[in-house]
Amino acid sequence: MTESSSRVSEYIQEVSHLVWGPTIRPELFARWSQGFIFSEEEKTALIQTSGGPCAVIAPVQAVLLKNLISKYQYSQIREVDCATVDQTLAATMTELLCQCKKPSTASPHTGNKPSSPPPPNPAPDNSPVLRDQGPFQLACLEDPLPPTPPNCNTPDPDQPTPQTSSAKDYTLFHSSVRLRQFDSGHSLQSHLESHLHRYKSQYGVLLFLYSVILTKSVSAVREEMGDIGESLIEVTQGHGGQGLINLLITGRASPYVWDGTKDVGGLSLVGVVGRPVVGFLTRLEHLRYVQVGWYLKNPTNPVWVMGSETHLSVVFSWCERLVTPENEVERAKQVFGWYDTEGNRFIQADHLKPILATLDLCTDDDYVQFMLSELDPDRMGVILYHRFVEAFSNSDQSYSPPDTFLLYHYNGLESSCPQNKIQYAEGRVTLQESHVGFTSSQCDVLSCLGTKWPNIDIQWSSFTPSLN
């Protein structure tokens, strides 16, 4: 069904202001006016024609790869037929729209600690992996422009994109947008599969972004962003802000990358409230501008969006176990610290059950009482830090962290790939016992990956990828 034209115009105006701010710069709008275009060289890799829209394209690519690597090996992914790739893209878009409707496990401006939700169970036949959380609002154009040629020459992302008259006229675009509402994820995906060409055409990326915001609601996105003066797209350079990246990765538009809630100057600011299906790493952490929390570094699938100062790319792997015992000990320490708010290195015994729930561990009463007998043998009503850490450090683990595995890197900018052709870069990762030096050409990639895997070394099989 469709909304009345006057109400749709009001919705789109609100979305436009949230995305672009009070004024839209024509050259930035032109750079974002592209569709979801697949490369001819890598049939599962999306092309980014200019700088800016990687804030949407990279998360979509990451979730699309997550869906593919659950069914295919690397050699098979490169041979997947176009119809299957399109079907997976429609399923990916549906999944992201379902995700942004999922109820949050923490509310802004509260002191509640988030719990870590269990990973969603994969659903068969490319159906949405999250429960239906309708209604869904889908932004569309009744008469979209023809698809952008997949082999077009990509301009320098730091230079303004040459504009056509249609790309300049953002007023015409916004006045032409129509909304369709769907009550279930299945009906939404069915529509996307039959009308996917509209999102592979010019403006497709913006139409999907607007759909995410309209489905979640402008007010909910603003509340999660916290700063009502900020827009999702940076008004000077046209890059997506962290709130936009998090909205696509986690379903929440928080501009923060830490876990849970932090008290900052008396304000309770909510970051990431649970493990997402794909993660996020940033070179800004290597530069010590931010500290990415455990949730984003340890998603439920081995796929990460990677950020430099100006661009997003993706890394992915088939490694079965990337959340190592050492990571779990660090996670337990972090959650303990949430409850040891004064830094006394002990917590009240009644905090044990919510801590176990946050760590996705058993919370049956018998098990909790057993753990209390181990952690508080003198029945003092408190749990000491060193006892708590020892309980996790000495747990019987039947697995060990991987010492070596294959990792693949995707960069959607053709100008950043060899011979201007998008290719996945394959690298063999070796986790060393001590620091490994690396050349300047590898510095950006390794420094970013090193925030997840310290002492990492990579040997790239064909070419060294770029973060920009």
Side-chain angles (χ1 to χ4, degrees):
M1 67 180 68
T2 58
E3 297 271 0
S4 65
S5 58
S6 60
R7 188 63 181 138
V8 168
S9 177
E10 183 180 338
Y11 286 151
I12 298 304
Q13 185 176 4
E14 292 175 355
V15 173
S16 174
H17 192 277
L18 175 63
V19 172
W20 303 99
T23 303
I24 303 177
R25 293 178 57 190
E27 63 272 21
L28 299 185
F29 182 80
R31 282 163 45 183
W32 277 77
S33 299
Q34 73 157 90
F36 290 107
I37 314 160
F38 285 106
S39 167
E40 291 185 340
E41 285 73 28
E42 293 279 4
K43 292 184 290 185
T44 59
L46 293 168
I47 295 175
Q48 180 184 341
T49 59
S50 59
C54 58
V56 173
I57 293 173
V60 170
Q61 178 73 68
V63 177
L64 184 142
L65 286 167
K66 180 268 296 184
N67 291 332
L68 288 171
I69 67 176
S70 67
K71 298 181 179 182
Y72 305 102
Q73 292 300 314
Y74 181 63
S75 59
Q76 296 173 312
I77 279 184
R78 308 191 84 174
E79 301 301 324
V80 174
D81 62 89
C82 293
T84 300
V85 174
D86 282 353
Q87 188 180 27
T88 306
L89 175 59
T92 296
M93 295 167 68
T94 304
E95 179 177 347
L96 290 170
L97 286 164
C98 287
Q99 176 179 254
C100 74
K101 290 288 288 186
K102 186 178 181 181
S104 173
T105 56
S107 300
H109 316 303
T110 70
N112 297 332
K113 301 299 179 184
S115 61
S116 180
N121 294 321
D125 300 327
N126 284 328
S127 59
V129 300
L130 298 175
R131 296 191 308 271
D132 290 350
Q133 301 282 346
F136 303 96
Q137 298 286 350
L138 195 64
C140 57
L141 293 177
E142 293 182 350
D143 297 306
L145 297 178
T148 305
N151 58 349
C152 60
N153 293 324
T154 304
D156 186 334
D158 294 324
Q159 298 298 323
T161 301
Q163 302 172 46
T164 64
S165 58
S166 58
K168 285 183 179 180
D169 197 351
Y170 48 81
T171 302
L172 176 61
F173 166 76
H174 287 105
S175 65
S176 302
V177 174
R178 300 292 181 263
L179 301 185
R180 294 186 62 90
Q181 181 171 302
F182 300 87
D183 294 327
S184 74
H186 291 284
S187 61
L188 170 65
Q189 181 170 327
S190 177
H191 177 85
L192 283 171
E193 288 179 357
S194 59
H195 295 80
L196 191 62
H197 62 282
R198 298 191 174 186
Y199 297 88
K200 297 175 76 173
S201 303
Q202 190 175 19
Y203 306 122
V205 169
L206 285 175
L207 289 171
F208 176 67
L209 172 58
Y210 284 24
S211 300
V212 169
I213 296 169
L214 288 162
T215 294
K216 188 175 184 69
S217 85
V218 171
S219 60
V221 174
R222 285 198 182 279
E223 184 179 12
E224 291 170 357
M225 291 174 65
D227 187 349
I228 60 174
E230 290 291 328
S231 57
L232 289 172
I233 294 177
E234 194 271 326
V235 297
T236 303
Q237 299 296 327
H239 304 301
Q242 191 65 49
L244 173 53
I245 298 168
N246 282 354
L247 175 61
L248 272 296
I249 292 177
T250 72
R252 298 188 72 256
S254 169
Y256 313 112
V257 293
W258 59 65
D259 291 344
T261 304
K262 276 191 177 184
D263 187 300
V264 180
L267 296 176
S268 295
L269 303 180
V270 182
V272 181
V273 300
R275 290 175 70 188
V277 295
V278 299
F280 177 72
L281 305 173
T282 175
R283 188 168 176 269
L284 293 178
E285 182 172 21
H286 170 75
L287 299 175
R288 300 186 179 181
Y289 291 132
V290 298
Q291 184 173 1
V292 179
W294 187 91
Y295 283 144
L296 287 175
K297 288 184 180 178
N298 296 278
T300 60
N301 299 274
V303 184
W304 292 264
V305 174
M306 291 178 63
S308 67
E309 291 82 341
T310 59
H311 184 58
L312 296 179
S313 55
V314 177
V315 292
F316 59 103
S317 174
W318 274 260
C319 185
E320 293 182 359
R321 182 81 186 188
L322 294 178
V323 182
T324 67
E326 289 79 2
N327 282 340
E328 292 175 348
V329 172
E330 292 304 313
R331 177 65 177 150
K333 291 178 181 179
Q334 180 187 55
V335 175
F336 186 97
W338 288 354
Y339 292 88
D340 181 18
T341 55
E342 297 182 0
N344 295 323
R345 299 181 74 80
F346 68 84
I347 59 173
Q348 298 299 315
D350 57 6
H351 288 155
L352 179 60
K353 187 170 184 176
I355 285 178
L356 294 176
T358 301
L359 293 171
D360 288 333
L361 299 175
C362 179
T363 56
D364 291 345
D365 290 341
D366 290 343
Y367 180 75
V368 173
Q369 289 304 315
F370 167 76
M371 288 296 294
L372 281 174
S373 67
E374 295 289 316
L375 297 172
D376 183 20
D378 299 324
R379 299 184 179 181
M380 301 293 292
V382 296
I383 298 173
L384 300 179
Y385 176 79
H386 74 277
R387 287 186 182 273
F388 181 83
V389 173
E390 286 175 359
F392 283 87
S393 299
N394 296 332
S395 59
D396 181 21
Q397 300 288 354
S398 60
Y399 55 85
S400 59
D403 293 324
T404 181
F405 54 91
L406 291 176
L407 196 70
Y408 300 87
H409 182 270
Y410 150 88
N411 190 327
L413 281 173
E414 291 176 314
S415 58
S416 298
C417 298
Q419 300 176 338
N420 291 326
K421 295 180 179 180
I422 292 179
Q423 304 174 50
Y424 295 137
E426 179 182 283
R428 178 165 291 279
V429 172
T430 303
L431 302 182
Q432 306 286 352
E433 294 183 359
S434 59
H435 177 72
V436 177
F438 44 85
T439 65
S440 59
S441 63
Q442 297 174 310
C443 179
D444 289 349
V445 176
L446 282 183
S447 61
C448 186
L449 292 174
T451 63
K452 161 68 179 173
W453 296 285
N455 304 327
I456 188 174
D457 183 40
I458 302 182
Q459 297 297 321
W460 298 103
S461 60
S462 55
F463 66 96
T464 300
S466 170
L467 287 186
N468 297 309

